[in-house]
Amino acid sequence: MADQQNPQLSGFIVERMELGVFAVDSSFNIVLWNHFMHTHSGKSWESLKGTNLFASFPELPESWLKRKIEHVFALGNYAFTSWEQRAYLFRFKHNRPITGGVDAMLQNCTFLPLRDAKGKVELVVITLQDCTDNALIQQRLAEAITVSDEERRKQQELIVKLEDAKNQLYQSEKLASIGQLAAGVAHEINNPIGFVNSNLGTLERNVTDLMKLMAVFESKETELPKDTQRELSKIKKEIDFEYLKEDLAALISESKEGLSHVRRIVSDLKDFSRVDQSGWQIADLEKCIDTTLNVVSNEIRYKATVVKEYGHPPLVECVPGQINQVLMNLVVNASQAFPERGQITLRTGEEGMYVWIEVEDNGIGIPPENQQRIFEPFFTTKPVGTGTGLGLSVCYNIIRKHEGDLIVRSEVGKGTCFRILLPIFHGKMGESEEIEFANSAPQ
Ligand SMILES: Nc1ncnc2c1ncn2[C@@H]1O[C@H](COP(=O)(O)OP(=O)(O)OP(=O)(O)O)[C@@H](O)[C@H]1O
Ligand SMILES: [Mg+2]
């Protein structure tokens, strides 16, 4: 075709273009070899003219290339191979310094049948296109896609972590508002308790006075007319006066006892939530344990015996309301670890600049594979509806915020011991107690 147009111009273009062009006859002898091929192979047209392609270039993939060229001769079809299938035909150096894993010119090749006047394929023209730049761009693009996939994966992980953190925050806010509610109710109950207590005192005094008066009446009873005596004795029998006299005092003293119990619960509830004194304070951790035990006493009474082994460590700078939450979670977890009745031991002590608290039970224990996971939000082995699996992750966050540590030691069938370590000083007195929830579980 080129011959029919302007052979000189076509020849010029083939010579000058940035494309390798060469042609072979059916015996694989070279009949065309352009400037690009000369430059990159180091062999000139003059030296190659009429020579066998495979004799001149033994490094070529002979059997594959022969088959490819023979097909084009036989079928007269155009053929193509890309660098992705076969990186290169000739091992040429790339024009520019090559970076990365690419050390040779990557080539796309086309195989064009050239027919004689009778339509028979006379020659096969082969072109080589340098694709190294494209390949490098593609490689970088693939790397960029991998990086962006990795980024997306990390973002996804972050979203999950954020979701977990949000849920923990809800949980801790829920606990805090339950505490506030309890403290509010406790405060409201305080007033009626006050006047009932004072009324009980007055009632006790009045009853004692009345009894004194009754004793005098009784001593003078025989002096009354017989009819009146009979009537009085009938009424005394009806109301069981002898029993009533004894019972009145007992009733009053039982009521006073009950009332003092209510007062203690109310004061424990207030202490436990510490709404009236939130934030960083100097606190006695043994008192924290005592109030917490009083608050959860109903939950643990029928499941465990509580043993206290207090070492009287120094006071600690902490957010007491939050330490109470931690203790409550640990004690409730311990009480839920007994198939039947068990023992919960609470110990305290001092170690260097730290105070420690241990909550130990002789329950079912935690298998080693779960010990890695118990601080993860939502990890629970309890039946649906029983545990949310947030208790320990909230505990861990609170202790981390206190720059302390929460360590678990457990053996299946023997029991579990959680050890809380809290630094004695923080220098945060009076600050508010915002807790951040991020990266909750220990690594
Ligand atoms: N003292 C313990 N003995 C045995 N297993 C425990 C003990 N404490 C925690 N675990 C295990 O750790 C898991 C997670 O505890 P966590 O307090 O975080 O959640 P939970 O108790 O299941 O639910 P929630 O506290 O939200 O009601 C529990 O489900 C349990 O398997
Ligand atoms: Mg729990």
Side-chain angles (χ1 to χ4, degrees), residues 329 332-333 336 382 389-392:
N329 277 323
V332 170
N333 274 354
Q336 291 170 342
K382 292 171 189 167
L390 283 172
L392 284 178

Side-chain angles (χ1 to χ4, degrees), residues 194-305:
F195 69 73
V196 169
N197 191 43
S198 128
N199 288 358
L200 261 182
T202 317
L203 189 67
E204 191 177 29
R205 275 193 310 278
N206 291 352
V207 166
T208 316
D209 290 348
L210 265 177
M211 284 302 147
K212 255 192 228 162
L213 185 67
M214 283 306 297
V216 177
F217 267 130
E218 277 194 301
S219 69
K220 307 284 180 198
E221 216 177 295
T222 47
E223 295 169 25
L224 293 171
K226 290 281 173 228
D227 279 359
T228 316
Q229 277 188 44
R230 261 199 303 279
E231 204 174 327
L232 277 176
S233 139
K234 192 178 156 218
I235 294 175
K236 273 185 182 175
K237 253 198 195 137
E238 269 174 24
I239 63 169
D240 199 353
F241 185 62
E242 287 310 310
Y243 172 76
L244 190 143
K245 271 197 295 187
E246 282 168 29
D247 197 37
L248 261 180
L251 279 179
I252 291 173
S253 105
E254 275 169 26
S255 301
K256 279 171 81 180
E257 214 173 283
L259 200 63
S260 81
H261 193 184
V262 175
R263 287 176 85 163
R264 211 184 61 230
I265 294 173
V266 166
S267 121
D268 282 340
L269 268 179
K270 280 177 78 179
D271 273 2
F272 180 77
S273 52
R274 304 254 181 158
V275 276
D276 44 348
Q277 29 174 303
S278 59
W280 289 88
Q281 286 155 38
I282 302 288
D284 179 348
L285 292 182
E286 288 175 358
K287 274 212 184 111
C288 288
I289 299 176
D290 290 340
T291 23
T292 305
L293 283 175
N294 287 341
V295 170
V296 294
S297 65
N298 230 15
E299 174 83 15
I300 56 178
R301 182 172 303 150
Y302 305 105
K303 298 178 191 157
T305 312

Side-chain angles (χ1 to χ4, degrees), residues 16-31:
R16 293 299 175 93
M17 70 203 309
E18 266 304 297
L19 194 70
V21 183
F22 69 99
V24 289
D25 62 17
S26 55
S27 312
F28 308 110
N29 292 328
I30 299 171
V31 295

